[in-house]
Structure formats: C-alpha cells, structure tokens
Amino acid sequence: MRRQMRNAAVFCALAAAAHAQKIDMATLAPADSTWFKVMENMGAEWKKISGGSVNLVIHPGGVLGDEPECVRRLDHHSIQAAGLSGAGLGDIDPGVGCLQIPMMLDSYEELDYVRDRIAPKLEQRLLQKGYVVLYWSEVGWVQFFSTTPVRRLEDLRKLRLFTWAGDATAEELWRANGFRIVPLPATDIITQLKMHNLDAVPETALYAETTQLYSLTPYMSTVKWAPLVGATILARQVWESIPAAQRERMLAAARQSGEAVKQDIRAQGARAIAAMTAGQPGRKALKLTVVEPDAAAVAEWRRQTEAIYPKMKDKMIPADLFDEVERLRDEYRARHPAGGAQ
C-alpha cells in the first residue's frame, strides 16, 4: 500500500512538472527595490494558486536590456512578461502616454481619478496587441535631476538632456522646441553621466535614490513634469494557456499586489527626497539640492508646455485619449475646487 502511495505521489509530481509553465519576466527595477518585491510576491502567490505549475522567473535590473529591448524580446517570445514603465508600454501602444502628458496632472488624486476611468480602454488596446495587464504601477513624479540648477525651461535648454532612444517623434518635438537631447538606452544613463556626456535626466526621486543617480546630478527641480506610470504585462497567448479557474485567482492576486504597494511607493518618493537632501554622513558629494522655481517661472513652464499639446495629439498620443484625459482632469478639478494647479 505504501509503495502504491509513493508511486502515485511520484506520478502526480511528474505530471505537474510536465505541465509546468515557466514565465520569464524582465524589468529595469533593481533586485532590492520595492517594485521587484511586488513581482516576487505575485510569483509566490501564483505558485500557490497553480499548485506549483506556474513558475515566474524575474530578471531584474535591466540584465536583459532596456525597455525597448524588453519589448523586442516579448515580440520574439524569448520572454513572456515584463514590468514596464510608460515609455516601454508606449512602444507597444502609444495610448498609455495619455497618462504621462507633461504638466497635465498635478497630484496623485488627479492621476487616480483619471487612470481609474481610462484604464479599461488602455487595457483593451494592449490586449488587442497581445498583452494582458496584470496590474498598473507607478514610479513617482518625473522631475529634472541636473548637474547645475534648473529653474526655468531656458536653463534646461542649455543642458544635454537624456531622452529615451527609439522614439523619433518625441526626439523631433524636443529638438523643435530648442532642447539639446541625448537619446540613449536607459541602461546607459549612469555611464554617460560619469563620462560627462549628459547634464540632465528626467527621473523620479525614488529611482534616483535607488540607483544613486543623484550623486551625479546633485540638483532637482521641484516642477512636476509628469507621473511615470507603468504596468506589469503578460503575453495573452501564455495567459490563456493557464486554466481559466486559476487565471481568475491569479489576476486577483496580481491586482492586490499592485494596489498594496501603491501607497508605499508614493510615501517612499517623499522619503527618498528627504534622504537625498540629508546626504550621507562624511560624504558631502552625495547630497541633493532641491531647486524650487518661483510662481512666475512655474507659470512659464506651464505656458510653454501646454503650447505643444496640439503637436502631441495623434503624433504621440491618440487624440481621443488625450482629450478624454483633459476632460477627466477638468471634471476632477470642478468637483474638488480646493486643489489648484501647481
């Protein structure tokens, strides 16, 4: 009897192994970051739900390349999932860019209001491109980190500014507005800063602290350029190969993981700025100086930025989504008149 039970257990183990689904996922998030831990937690939950048949293998820190490379790997099926920022998602579908329009949104409350209402459309667009959104995420507010203080857009125009390589339309728009851009893979930012080939990087505070970027760009403007959103996605074909009963629970676990970390990420953004401005004991070079433009300077940032909105519609972001985000933002502000523009 015992032998029969052992044989049955071995058979079950072999059967599970035969139907095991390995999912390779790439991300730029460092291995010790909050974003990575969320993915790890999701993978652990999936393993429980699937009885060990779904195995999520995460490749962090850009070891498989920058985000355009991750998208190429997804297209070529060498990986099946990725945690991408809006920049990478935009390579799959430009609609996601509607959540990252420069100086369109001023607060997380506005972002939540807009994203909650427009996410179903974005998820459907990505599904049509062959990808399931497991959960939405964010990296924080994009602000300009630089080697010299930036108070006005004219200050920024004098600097060599990092932009994501591969987006010809965005590059053209930056150049047409007088900026000296340096298109690069995101994985090259630190190297190029060390080689003094870059002067400014639009980045989030938490990422700047995590990667020590601020030690090379010791000034940060307080102007909130845009929220940097992201999503963790999985190839639709792989997702649909998993039993439907498991998929429902796995998606719920993924969404719970993403939601659980949202407030933590937001709190960590403020904490990161405090930590960077405090610096490291005995290392004066590793200290951030926050540059706060006055109201007139911020108003000029806004005026010049909004002037390029017509050029962004359709060329960079589908006009219907652009207009809907603007409508939803105005709707939120009408309902919450106490919140004003930055």
Short mmCIF file of all heavy atoms in Angstrom, two decimals, residues 165-202:
data_model
loop_
_atom_site.label_atom_id
_atom_site.label_comp_id
_atom_site.label_asym_id
_atom_site.label_seq_id
_atom_site.Cartn_x
_atom_site.Cartn_y
_atom_site.Cartn_z
N ALA A 165 15.88 56.50 -26.14
CA ALA A 165 16.23 56.23 -27.54
C ALA A 165 15.10 55.47 -28.23
O ALA A 165 14.40 54.67 -27.60
CB ALA A 165 17.52 55.41 -27.60
N GLY A 166 14.91 55.75 -29.51
CA GLY A 166 13.98 54.97 -30.29
C GLY A 166 12.65 55.64 -30.58
O GLY A 166 11.85 55.12 -31.35
N ASP A 167 12.38 56.81 -29.96
CA ASP A 167 11.12 57.50 -30.20
C ASP A 167 11.40 58.73 -31.05
O ASP A 167 11.64 59.82 -30.55
CB ASP A 167 10.47 57.90 -28.87
CG ASP A 167 9.05 58.42 -29.05
OD1 ASP A 167 8.70 58.84 -30.16
OD2 ASP A 167 8.29 58.40 -28.06
N ALA A 168 11.37 58.53 -32.37
CA ALA A 168 11.74 59.60 -33.31
C ALA A 168 10.81 60.80 -33.20
O ALA A 168 11.24 61.95 -33.31
CB ALA A 168 11.74 59.06 -34.73
N THR A 169 9.53 60.57 -32.95
CA THR A 169 8.56 61.66 -32.86
C THR A 169 8.85 62.54 -31.65
O THR A 169 8.85 63.77 -31.75
CB THR A 169 7.13 61.11 -32.77
OG1 THR A 169 6.88 60.27 -33.90
CG2 THR A 169 6.12 62.25 -32.76
N ALA A 170 9.11 61.90 -30.50
CA ALA A 170 9.43 62.67 -29.29
C ALA A 170 10.74 63.44 -29.46
O ALA A 170 10.85 64.59 -29.06
CB ALA A 170 9.51 61.73 -28.09
N GLU A 171 11.72 62.79 -30.07
CA GLU A 171 13.00 63.45 -30.31
C GLU A 171 12.83 64.69 -31.17
O GLU A 171 13.39 65.76 -30.89
CB GLU A 171 13.97 62.48 -30.99
CG GLU A 171 14.45 61.35 -30.09
CD GLU A 171 15.32 60.34 -30.84
OE1 GLU A 171 15.87 60.72 -31.91
OE2 GLU A 171 15.45 59.19 -30.38
N GLU A 172 12.02 64.56 -32.20
CA GLU A 172 11.77 65.70 -33.09
C GLU A 172 11.11 66.85 -32.35
O GLU A 172 11.45 68.02 -32.54
CB GLU A 172 10.89 65.24 -34.26
CG GLU A 172 10.53 66.34 -35.25
CD GLU A 172 9.54 65.87 -36.30
OE1 GLU A 172 9.32 64.65 -36.44
OE2 GLU A 172 8.97 66.75 -36.99
N LEU A 173 10.17 66.50 -31.47
CA LEU A 173 9.44 67.53 -30.73
C LEU A 173 10.36 68.25 -29.74
O LEU A 173 10.31 69.48 -29.61
CB LEU A 173 8.26 66.89 -30.00
CG LEU A 173 7.17 67.82 -29.48
CD1 LEU A 173 6.60 68.66 -30.62
CD2 LEU A 173 6.05 67.02 -28.83
N TRP A 174 11.21 67.49 -29.03
CA TRP A 174 12.18 68.11 -28.12
C TRP A 174 13.09 69.08 -28.89
O TRP A 174 13.28 70.23 -28.47
CB TRP A 174 13.03 67.04 -27.45
CG TRP A 174 12.42 66.36 -26.27
CD1 TRP A 174 11.99 65.06 -26.21
CD2 TRP A 174 12.19 66.90 -24.95
NE1 TRP A 174 11.50 64.77 -24.96
CE2 TRP A 174 11.62 65.87 -24.16
CE3 TRP A 174 12.42 68.14 -24.38
CZ2 TRP A 174 11.26 66.06 -22.83
CZ3 TRP A 174 12.07 68.33 -23.03
CH2 TRP A 174 11.50 67.31 -22.29
N ARG A 175 13.64 68.59 -30.00
CA ARG A 175 14.58 69.43 -30.77
C ARG A 175 13.90 70.66 -31.34
O ARG A 175 14.48 71.76 -31.36
CB ARG A 175 15.22 68.60 -31.89
CG ARG A 175 16.20 67.55 -31.38
CD ARG A 175 17.04 66.99 -32.53
NE ARG A 175 18.04 66.06 -32.04
CZ ARG A 175 17.95 64.73 -32.10
NH1 ARG A 175 16.88 64.17 -32.66
NH2 ARG A 175 18.90 63.95 -31.63
N ALA A 176 12.66 70.49 -31.82
CA ALA A 176 11.94 71.62 -32.41
C ALA A 176 11.68 72.72 -31.38
O ALA A 176 11.50 73.88 -31.75
CB ALA A 176 10.61 71.13 -33.00
N ASN A 177 11.69 72.34 -30.10
CA ASN A 177 11.47 73.32 -29.04
C ASN A 177 12.77 73.77 -28.36
O ASN A 177 12.75 74.30 -27.25
CB ASN A 177 10.48 72.76 -28.02
CG ASN A 177 9.06 72.79 -28.53
OD1 ASN A 177 8.37 73.80 -28.40
ND2 ASN A 177 8.61 71.71 -29.15
N GLY A 178 13.88 73.51 -29.04
CA GLY A 178 15.16 74.09 -28.62
C GLY A 178 15.95 73.33 -27.58
O GLY A 178 16.88 73.89 -26.98
N PHE A 179 15.65 72.04 -27.36
CA PHE A 179 16.36 71.27 -26.36
C PHE A 179 17.51 70.47 -26.99
O PHE A 179 17.42 70.00 -28.12
CB PHE A 179 15.40 70.33 -25.63
CG PHE A 179 14.41 71.04 -24.77
CD1 PHE A 179 13.16 71.40 -25.28
CD2 PHE A 179 14.72 71.40 -23.46
CE1 PHE A 179 12.25 72.09 -24.49
CE2 PHE A 179 13.81 72.08 -22.67
CZ PHE A 179 12.57 72.42 -23.19
N ARG A 180 18.58 70.32 -26.20
CA ARG A 180 19.76 69.56 -26.64
C ARG A 180 19.64 68.13 -26.09
O ARG A 180 20.16 67.83 -25.02
CB ARG A 180 21.04 70.22 -26.13
CG ARG A 180 21.25 71.65 -26.60
CD ARG A 180 22.41 72.29 -25.85
NE ARG A 180 23.66 71.54 -26.02
CZ ARG A 180 24.73 71.69 -25.25
NH1 ARG A 180 24.70 72.55 -24.23
NH2 ARG A 180 25.83 71.00 -25.47
N ILE A 181 18.96 67.30 -26.80
CA ILE A 181 18.69 65.98 -26.27
C ILE A 181 19.79 64.98 -26.63
O ILE A 181 20.48 65.11 -27.64
CB ILE A 181 17.32 65.44 -26.75
CG1 ILE A 181 17.30 65.30 -28.27
CG2 ILE A 181 16.21 66.32 -26.25
CD1 ILE A 181 16.10 64.53 -28.78
N VAL A 182 19.92 63.97 -25.77
CA VAL A 182 20.86 62.87 -25.99
C VAL A 182 20.06 61.57 -25.87
O VAL A 182 19.88 61.06 -24.76
CB VAL A 182 22.01 62.89 -24.97
CG1 VAL A 182 23.01 61.77 -25.28
CG2 VAL A 182 22.72 64.25 -24.96
N PRO A 183 19.55 61.04 -26.98
CA PRO A 183 18.77 59.80 -26.90
C PRO A 183 19.66 58.61 -26.56
O PRO A 183 20.70 58.40 -27.19
CB PRO A 183 18.20 59.65 -28.32
CG PRO A 183 18.35 61.00 -28.95
CD PRO A 183 19.58 61.59 -28.33
N LEU A 184 19.27 57.88 -25.53
CA LEU A 184 20.08 56.75 -25.04
C LEU A 184 19.17 55.65 -24.51
O LEU A 184 18.05 55.92 -24.09
CB LEU A 184 20.98 57.21 -23.88
CG LEU A 184 22.13 58.16 -24.13
CD1 LEU A 184 22.67 58.66 -22.79
CD2 LEU A 184 23.23 57.46 -24.92
N PRO A 185 19.68 54.42 -24.45
CA PRO A 185 19.00 53.40 -23.65
C PRO A 185 19.08 53.80 -22.18
O PRO A 185 20.09 54.36 -21.73
CB PRO A 185 19.82 52.12 -23.92
CG PRO A 185 20.60 52.40 -25.15
CD PRO A 185 20.85 53.88 -25.16
N ALA A 186 18.04 53.54 -21.41
CA ALA A 186 18.03 53.92 -20.00
C ALA A 186 19.16 53.26 -19.23
O ALA A 186 19.66 53.82 -18.24
CB ALA A 186 16.69 53.57 -19.37
N THR A 187 19.60 52.10 -19.68
CA THR A 187 20.68 51.38 -19.00
C THR A 187 22.03 52.08 -19.15
O THR A 187 22.99 51.71 -18.47
CB THR A 187 20.78 49.95 -19.55
OG1 THR A 187 20.74 49.98 -20.98
CG2 THR A 187 19.61 49.09 -19.06
N ASP A 188 22.11 53.09 -20.02
CA ASP A 188 23.38 53.81 -20.25
C ASP A 188 23.46 55.13 -19.49
O ASP A 188 24.48 55.83 -19.58
CB ASP A 188 23.58 54.08 -21.74
CG ASP A 188 23.92 52.83 -22.53
OD1 ASP A 188 24.12 51.77 -21.90
OD2 ASP A 188 23.96 52.90 -23.78
N ILE A 189 22.41 55.50 -18.77
CA ILE A 189 22.38 56.83 -18.15
C ILE A 189 23.55 57.05 -17.20
O ILE A 189 24.28 58.05 -17.31
CB ILE A 189 21.05 57.04 -17.39
CG1 ILE A 189 19.89 57.14 -18.37
CG2 ILE A 189 21.12 58.31 -16.54
CD1 ILE A 189 18.52 57.22 -17.69
N ILE A 190 23.75 56.14 -16.27
CA ILE A 190 24.80 56.32 -15.26
C ILE A 190 26.18 56.40 -15.92
O ILE A 190 26.99 57.28 -15.60
CB ILE A 190 24.77 55.17 -14.22
CG1 ILE A 190 23.43 55.17 -13.46
CG2 ILE A 190 25.94 55.29 -13.26
CD1 ILE A 190 23.19 56.38 -12.61
N THR A 191 26.43 55.53 -16.87
CA THR A 191 27.72 55.52 -17.56
C THR A 191 27.97 56.85 -18.27
O THR A 191 29.07 57.43 -18.17
CB THR A 191 27.78 54.38 -18.59
OG1 THR A 191 27.62 53.14 -17.91
CG2 THR A 191 29.10 54.38 -19.34
N GLN A 192 26.97 57.36 -18.96
CA GLN A 192 27.14 58.60 -19.72
C GLN A 192 27.26 59.81 -18.80
O GLN A 192 27.96 60.78 -19.12
CB GLN A 192 25.97 58.78 -20.70
CG GLN A 192 25.95 57.74 -21.81
CD GLN A 192 27.24 57.72 -22.62
OE1 GLN A 192 27.76 58.76 -23.02
NE2 GLN A 192 27.78 56.52 -22.83
N LEU A 193 26.61 59.76 -17.64
CA LEU A 193 26.80 60.84 -16.67
C LEU A 193 28.23 60.83 -16.14
O LEU A 193 28.86 61.89 -16.00
CB LEU A 193 25.81 60.68 -15.51
CG LEU A 193 24.37 61.14 -15.76
CD1 LEU A 193 23.46 60.67 -14.63
CD2 LEU A 193 24.30 62.67 -15.90
N LYS A 194 28.74 59.66 -15.86
CA LYS A 194 30.12 59.55 -15.37
C LYS A 194 31.13 60.02 -16.40
O LYS A 194 32.19 60.54 -16.06
CB LYS A 194 30.41 58.11 -14.96
CG LYS A 194 29.71 57.68 -13.67
CD LYS A 194 30.03 56.23 -13.32
CE LYS A 194 29.38 55.84 -12.00
NZ LYS A 194 29.61 54.42 -11.66
N MET A 195 30.77 59.85 -17.68
CA MET A 195 31.66 60.28 -18.76
C MET A 195 31.43 61.74 -19.14
O MET A 195 32.04 62.26 -20.07
CB MET A 195 31.43 59.39 -19.99
CG MET A 195 31.85 57.94 -19.78
SD MET A 195 31.41 56.88 -21.18
CE MET A 195 32.47 57.59 -22.47
N HIS A 196 30.54 62.41 -18.38
CA HIS A 196 30.22 63.84 -18.60
C HIS A 196 29.63 64.09 -19.99
O HIS A 196 29.85 65.15 -20.59
CB HIS A 196 31.47 64.70 -18.38
CG HIS A 196 32.11 64.49 -17.04
ND1 HIS A 196 31.54 64.91 -15.86
CD2 HIS A 196 33.27 63.87 -16.70
CE1 HIS A 196 32.31 64.57 -14.85
NE2 HIS A 196 33.36 63.93 -15.32
N ASN A 197 28.86 63.15 -20.48
CA ASN A 197 28.17 63.31 -21.76
C ASN A 197 26.70 63.68 -21.59
O ASN A 197 25.99 63.87 -22.57
CB ASN A 197 28.26 62.01 -22.57
CG ASN A 197 29.67 61.71 -23.01
OD1 ASN A 197 30.47 62.61 -23.23
ND2 ASN A 197 30.01 60.43 -23.12
N LEU A 198 26.27 63.79 -20.35
CA LEU A 198 24.90 64.18 -20.02
C LEU A 198 24.93 65.22 -18.91
O LEU A 198 25.82 65.19 -18.06
CB LEU A 198 24.10 62.97 -19.51
CG LEU A 198 23.38 62.05 -20.49
CD1 LEU A 198 22.69 60.93 -19.71
CD2 LEU A 198 22.39 62.80 -21.33
N ASP A 199 23.91 66.12 -18.91
CA ASP A 199 23.81 67.13 -17.86
C ASP A 199 22.50 67.06 -17.10
O ASP A 199 22.41 67.60 -15.98
CB ASP A 199 23.93 68.54 -18.46
CG ASP A 199 25.20 68.73 -19.27
OD1 ASP A 199 26.27 68.39 -18.75
OD2 ASP A 199 25.10 69.17 -20.42
N ALA A 200 21.47 66.46 -17.68
CA ALA A 200 20.15 66.45 -17.04
C ALA A 200 19.40 65.18 -17.40
O ALA A 200 19.50 64.68 -18.53
CB ALA A 200 19.36 67.68 -17.45
N VAL A 201 18.63 64.68 -16.42
CA VAL A 201 17.87 63.45 -16.61
C VAL A 201 16.48 63.63 -16.00
O VAL A 201 16.37 63.95 -14.82
CB VAL A 201 18.57 62.25 -15.93
CG1 VAL A 201 17.74 60.97 -16.14
CG2 VAL A 201 19.98 62.07 -16.46
N PRO A 202 15.42 63.45 -16.78
CA PRO A 202 14.08 63.43 -16.19
C PRO A 202 13.86 62.07 -15.52
O PRO A 202 13.87 61.04 -16.18
CB PRO A 202 13.16 63.62 -17.40
CG PRO A 202 13.95 63.17 -18.59
CD PRO A 202 15.40 63.32 -18.24
#
